[in-house]
């Protein structure tokens, strides 16, 4: 009996086994978000003929991607040649515009127009600069059929003529090198027909001023060396300033990015003009041609400077308005091209 009682006590002393914890119920799989695809219809702007219907276009597609899809069906119209807009009278859509952010429903109609053959802006800039450089040198070396035969391949006796050639060549060589190694061009292309207009102007004015500066009967500036030196100093100062602004604008942009920033002065003193002017590259460019005008005392150069100033003022005002529209904190003290004036 004692043995049985002892065994019973041992059993009672054993702790009861713990119950297993209940397993958590598996979570129901999340339902995939339904993607609402768009239907894009591309219509010819002039004839109103339906050119293409794109089905199941993703809402995050950009205008550039839509142009690429259109290009597959119409190979002759590459993306840079296409202009797409939501209304025949509306502005062209930007390549970076996203489909779902546009004021359209799930069925969108785009109006297409052909911009014609395109050239990159870099190519246009190089053509604009290379032409005046070569043409001016042709007059400087007095190639045949330009002046009287007795002056063929002769050299001017005035040292200002040689200085003017050096400055003119320096200016356009600088612009060519900047196009190749400094500028980050935001615009992709321009119509091929525009190159004839742009180059025609630059090339003809270069020939006009070169004809008179290198002419055998050219007369030196009225105030002599003092006037030449003053013009030269203005020219060189503005050339350095123009280059400094171009470098500052390049450093403002990161490669491949289209994010716009407000340009501010840097440690370079030539960039301090940013406190007063939105487009100091144009200010320095006009200053360079004013210096060249003073140095050569040539009417065609003065005419070119005046026209250049008018054109660059138009560009500067447009850029200034763009800055004010895009940036609420844009410095209010700045003018477009001339401090406190214009």
């Amino acid at each position: 009996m004692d043995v049985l009682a002892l065994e019973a006590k041992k059993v009672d002393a054993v702790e009861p086994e713990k119950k297993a914890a209940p397993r958590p119920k598996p979570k129901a799989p999340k339902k995939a978000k339904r993607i609402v695809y768009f239907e894009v219809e591309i219509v010819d702007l002039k004839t109103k003929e339906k050119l293409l219907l794109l089905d199941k276009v993703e809402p995050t597609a950009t205008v550039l991607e839509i142009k690429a899809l259109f290009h597959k069906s119409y190979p002759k119209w590459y993306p840079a040649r296409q202009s797409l807009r939501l209304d025949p009278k509306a502005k062209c859509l930007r390549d970076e515009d996203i489909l779902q952010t546009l004021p359209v429903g799930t069925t969108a109609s785009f109006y297409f127009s052909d911009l014609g053959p395109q050239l990159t802006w870099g190519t246009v800039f190089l053509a604009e600069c290379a032409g005046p450089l070569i043409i001016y040198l042709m007059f400087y070396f007095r190639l045949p059929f330009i002046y009287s035969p007795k002056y063929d391949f002769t050299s001017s006796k005035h040292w200002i003529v040689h200085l003017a050639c050096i400055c003119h060549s320096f200016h356009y060589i600088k612009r060519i090198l900047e196009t190749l190694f400094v500028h980050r061009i935001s615009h992709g292309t321009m119509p091929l027909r525009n190159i004839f207009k742009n180059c025609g102007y630059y090339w003809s004015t270069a020939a006009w001023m070169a004809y008179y500066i290198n002419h055998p009967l050219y007369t030196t500036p009225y105030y002599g060396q003092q006037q030449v030196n003053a013009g030269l100093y203005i020219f060189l100062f503005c050339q350095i300033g123009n280059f400094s602004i171009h470098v500052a604008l390049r450093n403002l942009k990161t490669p491949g990015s289209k994010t716009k920033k407000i340009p501010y002065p840097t440690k370079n003193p030539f960039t301090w003009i940013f406190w007063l002017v939105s487009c100091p590259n144009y200010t320095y460019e006009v200053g360079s041609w004013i210096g060249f005008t003073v140095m050569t005392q040539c009417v065609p150069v003065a005419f070119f400077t005046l026209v250049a100033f008018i054109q660059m003022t138009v560009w500067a005002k447009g850029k200034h308005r763009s800055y004010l529209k895009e940036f609420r904190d844009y410095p209010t003290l700045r003018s477009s091209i001339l401090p406190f004036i214009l």
Side-chain angles (χ1 to χ4, degrees):
M1 289 294 292
D2 294 338
V3 175
L4 293 174
L6 183 62
E7 292 293 333
K9 288 180 180 180
K10 289 181 179 180
V11 172
D12 292 337
V14 176
E15 293 182 2
E17 294 182 1
K18 294 182 179 179
K19 293 183 179 180
R23 295 180 179 178
K25 294 182 179 180
K27 294 182 180 179
K30 293 183 179 180
K31 293 183 179 180
K33 291 184 179 180
R34 183 184 175 188
I35 299 177
V36 179
Y37 291 99
F38 282 67
E39 188 178 83
V40 176
E41 181 184 55
I42 299 180
V43 181
D44 188 282
L45 180 64
K46 294 181 179 179
T47 64
K48 303 299 184 293
E49 176 188 356
K50 185 169 73 174
L51 300 175
L52 183 66
L53 180 65
L54 299 172
D55 192 18
K56 289 188 177 181
V57 180
E58 294 188 0
T60 56
T62 62
V63 172
L64 181 60
E65 291 171 341
I66 293 173
K67 287 181 177 180
L69 295 174
F70 183 66
H71 174 53
K72 290 181 179 179
S73 299
Y74 295 90
K76 68 175 181 178
W77 290 324
Y78 44 89
R81 188 168 175 165
Q82 301 174 33
S83 169
L84 296 179
R85 59 192 78 192
L86 297 177
D87 186 85
K89 297 181 179 179
K91 292 183 178 180
C92 298
L93 296 171
R94 298 177 300 174
D95 287 345
E96 58 269 22
D97 287 339
I98 300 174
L99 182 58
Q100 64 183 359
T101 62
L102 298 175
V104 295
T106 53
T107 301
S109 294
F110 286 176
Y111 291 90
F112 160 80
S113 61
D114 181 15
L115 297 176
Q118 301 287 301
L119 285 175
T120 62
W121 278 91
T123 303
V124 176
F125 290 155
L126 290 175
E128 289 177 354
C129 297
L133 175 63
I134 296 171
I135 290 172
Y136 193 99
L137 291 175
M138 291 171 60
F139 284 87
Y140 174 74
F141 291 111
R142 294 178 178 174
L143 297 184
F145 309 108
I146 296 179
Y147 303 113
S148 177
K150 66 179 180 179
Y151 295 114
D152 291 350
F153 298 110
T154 58
S155 179
S156 175
K157 61 181 179 180
H158 304 300
W159 67 276
I160 175 57
V161 173
H162 308 298
L163 180 62
C165 180
I166 293 172
C167 291
H168 188 275
S169 301
F170 173 81
H171 172 73
Y172 282 104
I173 290 173
K174 166 185 162 293
R175 288 187 59 178
I176 291 172
L177 294 176
E178 285 177 341
T179 301
L180 294 174
F181 303 109
V182 177
H183 293 317
R184 288 188 176 131
I185 302 171
S186 56
H187 299 289
T189 61
M190 71 176 294
L192 175 63
R193 61 181 178 273
N194 285 8
I195 196 173
F196 299 104
K197 176 181 66 177
N198 292 19
C199 290
Y201 170 72
Y202 284 106
W203 293 15
S204 60
T205 51
W208 188 27
M209 65 177 72
Y211 176 83
Y212 285 99
I213 295 174
N214 297 285
H215 198 283
L217 301 180
Y218 170 77
T219 55
T220 57
Y222 183 79
Y223 293 102
Q225 187 171 351
Q226 290 183 342
Q227 180 176 338
V228 173
N229 290 343
L232 178 62
Y233 296 149
I234 295 172
F235 176 84
L236 293 177
F237 178 86
C238 291
Q239 285 289 287
I240 297 172
N242 181 264
F243 175 75
S244 300
I245 297 300
H246 287 161
V247 172
L249 292 175
R250 170 190 168 83
N251 295 335
L252 198 66
K253 299 178 182 178
T254 53
S257 174
K258 293 189 176 182
T259 304
K260 296 182 179 180
K261 301 177 183 178
I262 300 176
Y264 285 104
T266 65
K267 294 180 180 179
N268 184 343
F270 286 95
T271 66
W272 294 353
I273 193 175
F274 265 127
W275 291 118
L276 303 174
V277 172
S278 292
C279 302
N281 51 323
Y282 295 146
T283 308
Y284 281 125
E285 180 74 10
V286 172
S288 296
W289 285 108
I290 290 175
F292 195 70
T293 302
V294 172
M295 182 172 58
T296 58
Q297 194 175 291
C298 182
V299 172
V301 179
F303 175 83
F304 177 82
T305 302
L306 177 62
V307 174
F309 172 68
I310 294 172
Q311 179 60 74
M312 282 186 268
T313 299
V314 174
W315 291 338
K317 283 190 170 184
K319 190 69 174 178
H320 184 71
R321 285 194 299 268
S322 177
Y323 281 140
L324 292 173
K325 185 178 179 181
E326 293 177 17
F327 304 107
R328 294 182 179 179
D329 57 341
Y330 191 73
T332 56
L333 187 62
R334 294 186 186 180
S335 302
S336 300
I337 188 170
L338 297 179
F340 310 112
I341 299 175
L342 192 63

